[in-house]
Amino acid sequence: MGVSNLILSAVLLNLFAYTTIKLRPRIYGVSLFKPMIWNFKLSLLPFAILVVDTIIFFLAAIIASYSGIAFIRYAGMFTAIMGLFVWLLALPNSGYLITELNLTHRDIDGDKVPIWYDIISVMAFAMSGIVNTLVNIVMIQVMILIFYDPSTVTKTHQSIFMLTALILNLLVAIGVYLGRSIRFNSWDVIHIKSFIAKLKNHFTQLGEWKNCVLFVFFHTLFFMIMYVLAGIPFFFK
């Protein structure tokens, strides 16, 4: 699978998943499950942030090269770094869609909707989140490649790409855990005191550390398996 195929898969899965969620109330006369729509939009947020961040960075570089004003280049670099930080906080929102597989939305009026419909719909929903995560990782790795001549990419560089994927998938898994288990949102880190207090309260509960470690380990492993199955490591050979 090439980069273009990965992006096409992301587009098709997102369209299919979103369509099934929106059609569900129309077909079966049930209410729209709005949290899914909200989570879907949040899953696309990291990609949007990364695109805007990249555009700002290159625009600043181009303007600086033509104007000769070094400050513009530095301002662009600073903005890009801050943008990457915001992107990193938002990235778990993509992987978070995998948690929709618990089918909690069926608790409301699921008896009116055939189970097969919700299975295929939510499966596409979860897969779209996984692929969205992979697309974000590939974009970062392509940005890394920009600083190298692709013809000079060696096995050492490919190891760096794998390490980058592992670190990002680990952070995604941690973020998904915090979102699902403690109900944190990306912007909760702004309220640092409340954030730390909730963390302490959560992990003082019996068995939560074990649950956290297992959750993060298996989700990271799963995301890495999907990363390899998508053929992403071969993009950079």
Side-chain angles (χ1 to χ4, degrees):
M1 179 184 289
V3 175
S4 59
N5 287 340
L6 178 64
I7 295 176
L8 178 61
S9 297
V11 171
L12 292 177
L13 275 170
N14 279 291
L15 284 175
F16 180 78
Y18 183 78
T19 301
T20 59
I21 297 301
K22 293 291 286 187
L23 285 179
R24 188 176 185 265
R26 293 179 178 273
I27 295 174
Y28 296 106
V30 297
S31 57
L32 177 66
F33 193 65
K34 293 183 179 179
M36 269 192 170
I37 300 297
W38 174 245
N39 287 339
F40 176 81
K41 292 178 179 179
L42 287 177
S43 78
L44 299 176
L45 180 62
F47 178 79
I49 292 173
L50 202 53
V51 169
V52 172
D53 192 44
T54 303
I55 291 174
I56 291 175
F57 175 77
F58 281 109
L59 278 178
I62 292 171
I63 294 173
S65 64
Y66 278 99
S67 65
I69 303 175
F71 172 76
I72 296 178
R73 184 184 301 274
Y74 294 132
M77 291 177 62
F78 176 77
T79 303
I81 291 172
M82 293 303 297
L84 285 176
F85 177 71
V86 174
W87 168 79
L88 193 59
L89 289 177
L91 184 58
N93 288 300
S94 292
Y96 186 83
L97 295 190
I98 196 173
T99 64
E100 299 291 353
L101 288 168
N102 57 18
L103 298 176
T104 52
H105 66 308
R106 287 187 62 83
D107 295 340
I108 300 176
D109 43 21
D111 57 327
K112 299 179 182 178
V113 182
I115 186 64
W116 66 260
Y117 185 92
D118 281 338
I119 287 176
I120 198 69
S121 173
V122 176
M123 186 180 297
F125 204 67
M127 286 301 298
S128 71
I130 295 168
V131 175
N132 289 344
T133 302
L134 297 181
V135 168
N136 276 274
I137 292 175
V138 168
M139 286 187 66
I140 286 294
Q141 293 176 331
V142 168
M143 291 173 66
I144 294 174
L145 261 184
I146 291 175
F147 294 96
Y148 293 95
D149 179 352
S151 63
T152 66
V153 173
T154 65
K155 289 183 178 180
T156 301
H157 295 131
Q158 289 164 10
S159 298
I160 292 175
F161 294 145
M162 286 295 291
L163 180 61
T164 301
L166 178 61
I167 292 173
L168 290 176
N169 280 320
L170 174 64
L171 293 176
V172 167
I174 293 173
V176 173
Y177 174 82
L178 295 178
R180 173 54 64 178
S181 299
I182 315 181
R183 312 306 296 177
F184 276 139
N185 292 305
S186 300
W187 49 86
D188 283 333
V189 295
I190 298 175
H191 311 289
I192 189 65
K193 290 185 178 180
S194 173
F195 182 83
I196 294 175
K198 288 181 179 179
L199 276 179
K200 287 182 178 179
N201 180 63
H202 177 76
F203 285 110
T204 53
Q205 299 177 39
L206 184 64
E208 284 305 329
W209 270 112
K210 177 181 178 181
N211 185 47
C212 175
V213 170
L214 291 175
F215 182 102
V216 170
F217 173 76
F218 283 109
H219 279 72
T220 302
L221 183 59
F222 175 75
F223 286 131
M224 284 302 296
I225 290 173
M226 296 303 296
Y227 174 84
V228 174
L229 287 178
I232 297 175
F234 304 105
F235 293 175
F236 307 104
K237 287 190 175 181

